[in-house]
Amino acid sequence: MENKTHKVFLSLGTNLGDKRENLNKAIQKIGELVGDVVRQSSFIETEPWGFESKNRFLNGCVCVETDLTPHEVLEMTQLIERELGRKEKSHNGEYHDRIIDIDILLYDDVTIDEPELKIPHPHMKERDFVMIPLNEILKE
């Protein structure tokens, strides 16, 4: 890929600790490591999806202009998750409480279907907690 700015849409979620602070820290780190955060949705509170928990989620989306490749964006978002205290990703489709979750939803109009990276995100259209904040910033 030539070195030009790409638009990447990321979904963020948290259901542990100071949720608003978790999302704000993640967005700040995204700005430092991924690229310029050019749009940010409002945060919405949602029920856990795919597992039982007494902890509700706070979710949001950002649009980032980046020079990174999709795989580099994945590396950086996983690094941010670890820096903020995320211990493990879900395994075998089992979800659990998390301090931060960052998913790549869209990257320009690129389609990638690999075991570790799928763009567009395969489940995003089923998830209101992704689509509501995403639609808020897609329209701008």
Side-chain angles (χ1 to χ4, degrees):
M1 287 186 182
E2 66 276 11
N3 194 7
K4 74 176 184 75
T5 299
H6 303 279
K7 267 196 176 32
V8 60
F9 288 86
L10 303 174
S11 170
L12 298 95
T14 175
N15 76 331
L16 294 174
D18 184 335
K19 299 173 203 175
R20 191 163 294 279
E21 179 69 13
N22 294 344
L23 293 183
N24 286 328
K25 276 188 192 165
I27 292 166
Q28 178 188 343
K29 290 264 187 203
I30 288 166
E32 293 167 10
L33 298 174
V34 178
D36 295 330
V37 177
V38 293
R39 293 199 293 271
Q40 177 181 329
S41 73
S42 47
F43 298 153
I44 61 169
E45 194 173 293
T46 60
E47 292 295 327
W49 187 96
F51 73 106
E52 294 290 320
S53 175
K54 64 185 186 321
N55 303 313
R56 291 172 60 88
F57 273 82
L58 201 60
N59 295 94
C61 286
V62 293
C63 175
V64 183
E65 290 182 348
T66 185
D67 292 329
L68 301 180
T69 66
H71 289 89
E72 289 168 335
V73 173
L74 179 64
E75 284 175 35
M76 287 299 112
T77 56
Q78 290 177 340
L79 174 68
I80 293 165
E81 288 177 338
R82 289 192 304 273
E83 283 186 0
L84 295 180
R86 177 93 188 253
K87 300 287 187 264
E88 58 183 322
K89 284 288 208 181
S90 52
H91 296 291
N92 303 323
E94 282 188 38
Y95 297 98
H96 43 74
D97 292 330
R98 63 207 66 148
I99 194 153
I100 192 68
D101 186 34
I102 306 170
D103 287 332
I104 301 170
L105 302 176
L106 301 166
Y107 182 103
D108 292 339
D109 53 5
V110 170
T111 299
I112 297 175
D113 188 1
E114 298 171 358
E116 77 282 359
L117 181 61
K118 297 188 185 316
I119 299 174
H121 192 288
H123 302 296
M124 67 184 206
K125 288 191 167 65
E126 308 161 18
R127 300 174 174 176
D128 284 347
F129 65 84
V130 170
M131 294 311 296
I132 291 169
L134 179 60
N135 282 326
E136 183 184 323
I137 61 174
L138 274 176
K139 292 179 184 138
E140 293 179 26

